[in-house]
Amino acid sequence: MAVVASAPAKVILFGEHFVVYGEPAIVLAIDKRAYAKAETRNDKLLHVHSTNLNLAVTIENGSFRVDQGDLKEAKMKFEPVRQAAEKVLEKYGENVGLSIEISSTIPVAAGLGSSAAVVASVTAAVGTLLNVEMSKEDIFKITYEAEKYVHGTPSGVDPAIATFGGTLLFQMDTGFKPLEAEIEIPLVVGETGVERSTRVQVEKVRDIRERFPQIVDPIMHAAREISLRAIDAFKENDLETLGSLMNVNHALLYGVGVSDESLEWLVNAARKAGALGAKLTGAGGGGCMIALVRNERLEQVLEAIQRAGGRPFMARKTDEGVRVEQG
Ligand code: PMV
């Protein structure tokens, strides 16, 4: 028997970076998903294969043997998968061999939460395969623990959105709250293709805040007001306001030094082509930007981002978090 499960990617609509200092952020699950297929094996080995990454490993008692691709890369990418599978096996109470096949429509290392989506789908697929009772809360916890390997001290946004889907308001001290909103959020995501490290970008903000606290603290405060105002705009179905708030949010992120030339090209191109608003999303310094675009302007914005050197795709909000596709 094989079980397939999937989980969604995410974009941060408002509040990235400032969320690290306690301000609220708004995160949205989008309709790009990672898929994991799990099957039992007759031996006690764990085999993991990713079709997109062209990587395959066999893991025996925690030690990796590479079957396809580079060992170091495979360890980095698959260690969270191993940890999640182990956690589910612990709950199952017996060590069985597993084959896990991963395929994904989510761009990798672009700030869209690909690794959390992969781990959440693996956790759900293995759990269902072995008939282990698991709530979404359990899947979230396992995914969060495994993600610590990738990010050190992640805020938990990626595992939460991959597990629960929808729109979440996140704040360090209060955690996650679903933002019930009927609103359609027509987004275009533009990939710059520039790789960046979340850790380095977070350090940049810490440095500038330490150097100029009197200047950066009011920026943080403004970011808070943006997220709070955005919550009202969501409820009022007010796309115009959301677009304007995205533009202001981008200006603040630029101000603390986390935009870069590749992002500026795409953000400006999207605005010129008629987007209601555009901003970087996630850590910045490359990675992705998002534009809020009415349907009648979609083609123009997609084309403008492409001409400015980006890889654009349309994204829609998805309410569905992790789910089993077939059992
Ligand atoms: O680009 P990502 O998905 O790694 O987003 C990072 C978001 C930050 O706010 C910059 C960091 C964090 O832990 O919230």
Side-chain angles (χ1 to χ4, degrees):
M1 192 182 76
V3 175
V4 178
S6 73
K10 68 105 199 336
V11 294
I12 301 181
L13 272 185
F14 296 103
E16 53 272 270
H17 283 290
F18 309 117
V19 71
V20 174
Y21 299 90
E23 307 304 352
I26 298 177
V27 193
L28 194 80
I30 58 169
D31 56 352
K32 288 232 177 257
R33 303 183 77 87
Y35 295 83
K37 179 166 110 183
E39 287 171 282
T40 48
R41 297 167 61 96
N42 291 329
D43 51 32
K44 296 278 158 71
L45 303 174
L46 173 60
H47 182 76
V48 188
H49 175 218
S50 162
T51 44
N52 307 80
L53 300 176
N54 289 320
L55 283 178
V57 290
T58 305
I59 306 168
E60 188 169 16
N61 297 325
S63 102
F64 282 65
R65 191 185 74 221
V66 73
D67 301 316
Q68 187 188 358
D70 174 64
L71 178 63
K72 202 167 150 223
E73 192 192 353
K75 269 190 181 164
M76 275 238 315
K77 294 272 164 35
F78 291 154
E79 175 58 19
V81 170
R82 183 193 74 77
Q83 287 184 15
E86 289 278 311
K87 281 271 155 60
V88 183
L89 285 172
E90 263 170 41
K91 283 183 184 278
Y92 181 59
E94 216 182 295
N95 187 17
V96 293
L98 293 168
S99 285
I100 295 171
E101 177 112 3
I102 296 159
S103 61
S104 175
T105 58
I106 309 170
V108 176
L112 299 178
S114 134
S115 90
V118 164
V119 176
S121 57
V122 165
T123 307
V126 175
T128 307
L129 178 73
L130 301 178
N131 264 323
V132 177
E133 278 281 329
M134 271 192 306
S135 63
K136 283 209 166 164
E137 199 55 47
D138 294 329
I139 296 176
F140 165 69
K141 280 190 191 136
I142 290 175
T143 308
Y144 181 62
E145 286 305 315
E147 276 285 282
K148 281 190 184 162
Y149 178 83
V150 187
H151 287 306
T153 50
S155 58
V157 163
D158 285 14
I161 204 79
T163 307
F164 299 107
T167 313
L168 296 177
L169 178 70
F170 176 70
Q171 209 165 347
M172 284 299 213
D173 53 356
T174 48
F176 307 97
K177 257 189 251 151
L179 252 188
E180 305 298 350
E182 292 303 314
I183 186 170
E184 250 294 298
I185 314 267
L187 286 178
V188 171
V189 178
E191 276 184 83
T192 63
V194 175
E195 284 193 23
R196 84 289 179 270
S197 141
T198 296
R199 208 180 285 259
V200 170
Q201 296 301 112
V202 169
E203 273 166 21
K204 274 190 198 167
V205 178
R206 199 187 54 220
D207 286 351
I208 198 162
R209 184 167 178 261
E210 274 170 16
R211 284 173 65 205
F212 309 116
Q214 285 88 345
I215 297 168
V216 176
D217 285 347
I219 294 181
M220 302 268 171
H221 184 72
R224 171 189 192 78
E225 294 304 319
I226 290 174
S227 289
L228 297 181
R229 185 66 190 81
I231 295 171
D232 293 337
F234 265 105
K235 290 183 185 147
E236 290 154 11
N237 223 323
D238 183 353
L239 286 184
E240 298 275 341
T241 298
L242 285 175
S244 303
L245 293 172
M246 282 168 70
N247 288 337
V248 183
N249 195 160
H250 181 76
L252 301 185
L253 289 163
Y254 184 97
V256 295
V258 293
S259 189
D260 79 336
E261 201 185 358
S262 68
L263 285 163
E264 291 305 308
W265 277 108
L266 305 195
V267 165
N268 288 325
R271 286 178 188 157
K272 250 179 148 169
L276 294 170
K279 65 182 275 293
L280 68 85
T281 183
C288 289
M289 52 74 72
I290 50 174
L292 187 66
V293 189
R294 286 200 196 283
N295 284 333
E296 55 269 27
R297 283 289 177 168
L298 269 175
E299 282 309 316
Q300 284 95 323
V301 172
L302 286 163
E303 211 184 295
I305 290 176
Q306 180 111 41
R307 259 189 281 116
R311 282 194 300 267
F313 62 87
M314 271 168 58
R316 295 276 182 237
K317 175 175 84 133
T318 181
D319 286 329
E320 277 202 80
V322 66
R323 70 174 181 224
V324 173
E325 300 283 333
Q326 64 187 70

